[in-house]
Amino acid sequence: MSARAAVIPGLDVFLRGDGASDGVRAAVARLRHARLGLIAHPASVTADLQFSADAIRAAGYDLRALFGPQHGARGEKQDNMIESEHYTDPVTGLPVHSLYGEVRKPTPEMLNGLDAVLFDLQDVGVRVYTFVWTMALAMEACADAGVRFVVLDRPNPIDGVRREGPVLREEYRSFVGLHPVPLRHGLTCGEMARWLNEERGVGCELTVIPCQGWQRDMTWDRTGLPWVMPSPNLPTPDSCVVYPGMVLVEGTNLSEGRGTTRPFEIFGAPWLDPTALVARLNRARLPGVAFRLCHFEPTFQKHAGALCGGAQLHVTDPDAFEPVRTAVEIIVAARQLAPRDFAWREPPYEYEETLAPIDILWGGPELRKGAEAGAAADEILAGVETELEAFAASVERHLRY
């Protein structure tokens, strides 16, 4: 572990056992001779960067199977919405069950012979990031099969204090939102698991092994931990800071910067006037962010090979920056500046065949309808604070940090 690390991930707590509470030590002891499965991806590493599957096997645990979320257990899928196949892991020789494709919930056959499933994914604190829903479905499967579910917790890299955006409406459930959670939810995976298990009725045999040293106001730069990309298009902690809002751009025909080296920080389209865009966004006086006019040519995804005009977000004050409000202003501005060219992305999107992608990303139709009616960002966001207060009350007793 790095000498400067202030935070010890749940994986390291599990492997070391020392310094943990009596309850955690007892939970770890029960797993010593258990037959284990592991949900992992490239960011599933110890504080000194050892891959979790290797570290768990080296510690003498009986690891029988791996499960891969979106982008795969080894991060082999480098683009968005690319399905993974079941395969044999080339390093460990273990079977790898894909949980991103036709099957997204572990089947009874996958869980057969396992006593417990460990979950060790680095989340980014945003409802539409699919890892928490992989977790939710795996918890349900484990509840049905009588298999213990163990979360090796990790920090929320964009802090656990602030929440933003609307709470998902039940009728807009999809794989980018299965439960009524705000766009930026402020929880760790362990806290989300506790809330899902008790408030949402999952009811599995759940153990959460918390990380040590993390405090709710900590962003990634204060953890002392090395950053490993949890998915290919979040290459840096800076990407995560803007992601809670800029992921909404996926629901439009604007490029969200996929196919560039700064995804979600760069955005635009071939038909967008970057000068007018930046002037308009600067007039909005959004807190903690500046916009730089830019041109870019995506190498894949939307507008691949075409010269796009747009802007790059430069977060000047992360404590003041409001990513969701910023993204709403961007979408409203783009639609009003280019009404004949701007369009909402059409389904299918993330296994949803009918609902508009922007609606399942937002959690309801308000953003789309508001933008179409010419509403300002404040009008579109009206009522969100009340929803956030209700969500905060429902999760309060499940917070661990």
Side-chain angles (χ1 to χ4, degrees):
M1 185 175 65
S2 170
R4 64 187 180 87
V7 173
I8 302 172
L11 171 62
D12 297 65
V13 175
F14 169 72
L15 293 170
R16 289 168 41 177
D18 61 326
S21 67
D22 291 342
V24 169
R25 284 198 297 272
V28 170
R30 286 197 298 272
L31 296 170
R32 174 48 68 182
H33 301 294
R35 298 165 296 178
L36 304 176
L38 172 66
I39 302 174
H41 64 172
S44 306
V45 294
T46 63
D48 59 3
L49 295 174
Q50 186 178 15
F51 184 52
S52 58
D54 301 329
I56 289 167
R57 295 179 82 212
Y61 287 93
D62 185 7
L63 188 59
R64 299 287 184 94
L66 301 177
F67 296 82
Q70 186 175 13
H71 305 293
R74 298 231 176 232
E76 62 271 13
K77 303 302 183 185
Q78 291 297 302
D79 201 357
N80 197 35
M81 288 179 276
I82 303 296
E83 295 181 347
S84 297
E85 302 296 329
H86 308 295
Y87 65 97
T88 299
D89 182 57
V91 178
T92 63
L94 296 172
V96 180
H97 304 298
S98 172
L99 298 180
Y100 189 76
E102 183 178 343
V103 175
R104 296 182 293 283
K105 181 176 181 177
T107 64
E109 292 75 20
M110 293 177 185
L111 298 175
N112 186 39
L114 299 181
D115 300 309
V117 171
L118 307 179
F119 177 90
D120 185 30
L121 299 184
Q122 177 60 62
D123 188 48
V124 298
V126 181
R127 184 222 302 141
V128 302
Y129 208 56
T130 60
F131 296 155
V132 292
W133 308 124
T134 293
M135 179 180 73
L137 293 175
M139 289 171 64
E140 292 176 7
C142 286
D144 292 340
V147 172
R148 177 181 289 273
F149 194 81
V150 181
V151 178
L152 306 179
D153 212 5
R154 292 182 175 273
N156 183 328
I158 57 173
D159 83 45
V161 175
R162 289 175 290 177
R163 300 188 174 98
E164 297 180 59
V167 171
L168 173 74
R169 292 189 185 185
E170 293 278 4
E171 61 268 34
Y172 288 89
R173 295 171 75 249
S174 72
F175 194 54
V176 290
L178 290 175
H179 291 269
V181 170
L183 199 50
R184 178 180 184 172
H185 53 70
L187 304 177
T188 67
C189 285
E191 293 171 332
M192 180 72 79
R194 286 164 55 89
W195 179 77
L196 289 169
N197 212 42
E198 297 187 35
E199 305 295 335
R200 301 295 295 170
V202 173
C204 69
E205 188 177 357
L206 175 66
T207 298
V208 175
I209 298 182
C211 44
Q212 294 178 357
W214 189 69
Q215 300 174 21
R216 302 209 74 79
D217 62 349
M218 275 187 174
T219 49
W220 191 265
D221 59 306
R222 291 176 56 199
T223 66
L225 295 169
W227 177 254
V228 178
M229 295 185 296
S231 57
N233 286 290
L234 290 180
T236 70
D238 290 342
S239 313
C240 298
V241 171
V242 301
Y243 181 74
M246 293 305 291
V247 68
L248 296 168
V249 177
E250 286 190 13
T252 75
N253 65 343
L254 293 168
S255 167
E256 65 274 11
R258 292 182 187 272
T260 76
T261 56
R262 304 299 288 192
F264 299 108
E265 296 175 65
I266 289 174
F267 63 96
W271 36 261
L272 196 57
D273 179 349
T275 302
L277 174 71
V278 169
R280 162 122 183 201
L281 293 174
N282 284 337
R283 286 198 298 271
R285 298 186 180 278
L286 292 161
V289 64
F291 298 91
R292 179 184 63 84
L293 179 154
C294 73
H295 291 82
F296 61 98
E297 188 176 291
T299 58
F300 58 84
Q301 284 254 4
K302 297 176 192 171
H303 310 306
L307 182 65
C308 295
Q312 180 176 354
L313 282 75
H314 294 266
V315 178
T316 56
D317 183 351
D319 292 333
F321 177 55
E322 299 176 39
V324 175
R325 177 177 294 276
T326 298
V328 172
E329 290 280 7
I330 287 169
I331 289 170
V332 168
R335 189 179 188 281
Q336 292 183 0
L337 289 170
R340 288 184 294 182
D341 295 303
F342 177 91
W344 304 110
R345 182 174 181 166
E346 295 290 331
Y349 176 79
E350 289 288 2
Y351 304 104
E352 167 55 48
E353 302 288 336
T354 304
L355 296 171
I358 191 63
D359 290 358
I360 62 173
L361 287 166
W362 185 251
E366 293 82 7
L367 173 56
R368 174 177 53 83
K369 289 183 176 180
E372 290 172 353
D378 283 343
E379 296 173 281
I380 292 170
L381 289 164
V384 165
E385 285 303 318
T386 300
E387 296 179 16
L388 293 176
E389 289 170 4
F391 179 77
S394 77
V395 300
E396 179 64 31
R397 71 188 186 93
H398 304 293
L399 303 184
R400 293 297 302 268
Y401 310 93

